[in-house]
Amino acid sequence: MSAALTSKPRKFRISYSLIFILPAFIFYVLFVVVPTLSSVYLSLTSWDGVSPDIRFIGLDNFVELWKSERVHNALKNTLVLSVALVILENAAAIVLAMLVDQVRWFRNFFRSAFYLPVLLSGVVMSFIWTVIYNYNFGVLNQLFESWGLAALKIDWLGDTRYTMIAIIVSIVWKSSGYYMIIYLAALQSVPQELIEAARIDGANRWQQFCHITFPLLAGAVTVCMTLSMINSLKVFDQIAVMTDGGPGFATETLTYIVYKVGFGEMRQGYGTALALALFGLILVVSLIQVALLRKREVQL
């Protein structure tokens, strides 16, 4: 009798749980599972994105990706951009976090000022930096002229030697404030007793940072470097607005090729195959990065 009474409420709870889960499950299936499976199928076709005729071609798109010099160049650009951004964004974020953590006056003002670029959309930020980098009236070249160094004027977005550097600087300026907040939260948990003990033992600020502060930021470093790597592999807005992948193909990345091929060249099948390859790259790199950083946390 008691078993029957307890089984009914249990079945009742399970049925109601399923009812509450069902809307989210349907939403997830319709907007995640179905598009993912559709993408896998479309990557095996020669669909142009418009025609109702979809011709199945098997792995031809992936074979073309493997042999394409344009894709190889974009992969190189993507990896260079990603490595530079992961290092520079996190280095700048740690420096900003430590500065804000040490300042006594107007702390909230500096937090807001450093975080403000994060609130700008990628398109707006890109237009701002395009004006800054302009060869004729850009701020940088105008400064060179005012200092009597007109010969040092640089075509920042037209010279293949400097274009990628210009893009990296603009992205670091925009994104560092986001990671600064994470590092700042981690700095609040560093025991001040350890810092005081190190100071009494004669350790300077650099030694305190290397042997106490930075090891205790290991968890934040893992989070920030993983997020930075994922975001850098997906950079699109800055490339589209500032250089359009140029000059030539100097700044063309995998994300930008997906857009150009899929919508510019009307090769949705090929573009979808490239998007899946990019997804695989992000997944593999992220897993390796997290595994290495987690191992470092354990060692620390």
Side-chain angles (χ1 to χ4, degrees):
M1 180 70 177
S2 59
L5 291 176
T6 56
S7 63
K8 287 183 178 180
R10 183 178 180 183
K11 292 180 180 179
F12 179 80
R13 289 196 300 269
I14 293 175
S15 61
Y16 266 83
S17 299
L18 292 176
I19 291 174
F20 283 112
I21 292 173
L22 189 60
F25 178 75
I26 294 175
F27 184 87
Y28 180 80
V29 170
L30 290 178
F31 293 96
V32 177
V33 176
V34 172
T36 301
L37 296 177
S38 299
S39 297
V40 173
Y41 171 71
L42 290 176
S43 69
L44 304 176
T45 69
S46 60
W47 188 44
D48 60 4
V50 179
S51 172
D53 297 327
I54 302 177
R55 186 167 62 89
F56 184 82
I57 59 174
L59 297 176
D60 288 357
N61 287 328
F62 293 95
V63 173
E64 183 178 350
L65 287 178
W66 183 260
K67 296 179 180 180
S68 173
E69 291 293 332
R70 183 182 181 186
V71 173
H72 296 166
N73 177 70
L75 176 61
K76 182 196 72 172
N77 292 337
T78 302
L79 294 178
V80 170
L81 184 67
S82 300
V83 172
L85 288 178
V86 168
I87 295 173
L88 295 177
E89 283 178 342
N90 284 274
I94 291 175
V95 171
L96 293 177
M98 296 194 68
L99 288 175
V100 173
D101 188 56
Q102 296 296 323
V103 72
R104 294 184 178 181
W105 301 96
F106 305 108
R107 177 175 297 182
N108 290 333
F109 168 77
F110 287 112
R111 287 182 182 179
S112 301
F114 293 145
Y115 188 77
L116 183 62
V118 179
L119 302 179
L120 296 175
S121 72
V123 175
V124 172
M125 182 276 291
S126 301
F127 275 117
I128 293 173
W129 279 93
T130 300
V131 174
I132 293 174
Y133 287 135
N134 187 275
Y135 182 79
N136 296 314
F137 55 81
V139 174
L140 293 179
N141 287 339
Q142 288 295 318
L143 285 176
F144 287 145
E145 286 190 353
S146 64
W147 294 338
L149 301 174
L152 297 180
K153 289 175 60 176
I154 297 173
D155 188 3
W156 296 98
L157 300 179
D159 191 327
T160 56
R161 295 174 296 176
Y162 305 106
T163 307
M164 187 63 76
I165 297 174
I167 291 175
I168 290 171
V169 170
S170 66
I171 297 175
V172 171
W173 175 82
K174 182 184 187 305
S175 305
S176 297
Y178 175 80
Y179 305 109
M180 177 201 70
I181 297 299
I182 300 176
Y183 284 121
L184 190 58
L187 283 173
Q188 306 301 318
S189 64
V190 175
Q192 293 302 310
E193 296 81 4
L194 296 178
I195 303 295
E196 291 294 334
R199 187 181 295 115
I200 293 172
D201 289 339
N204 56 37
R205 288 183 177 273
W206 177 249
Q207 291 171 330
Q208 294 170 25
F209 173 77
C210 292
H211 299 289
I212 297 176
T213 304
F214 188 70
L216 293 176
L217 294 178
V221 170
T222 299
V223 173
C224 289
M225 292 193 72
T226 302
L227 291 175
S228 180
M229 176 60 73
I230 293 173
N231 292 330
S232 61
L233 288 171
K234 300 187 300 180
V235 169
F236 173 79
D237 296 348
Q238 292 79 10
I239 304 294
V241 175
M242 297 174 68
T243 65
D244 195 27
F249 301 103
T251 58
E252 201 171 54
T253 60
L254 291 177
T255 308
Y256 193 66
I257 287 188
V258 171
Y259 163 74
K260 291 288 285 187
V261 169
F263 297 97
E265 301 176 11
M266 302 302 292
R267 301 182 62 193
Q268 285 286 342
Y270 184 68
T272 305
L274 183 55
L276 289 177
L278 177 61
F279 168 76
L281 175 65
I282 294 175
L283 180 63
V284 171
V285 171
S286 300
L287 291 176
I288 294 174
Q289 186 182 35
V290 170
L292 293 176
L293 292 174
R294 288 294 185 187
K295 184 178 179 180
R296 173 181 171 275
E297 289 182 33
V298 173
Q299 291 174 347
L300 291 175

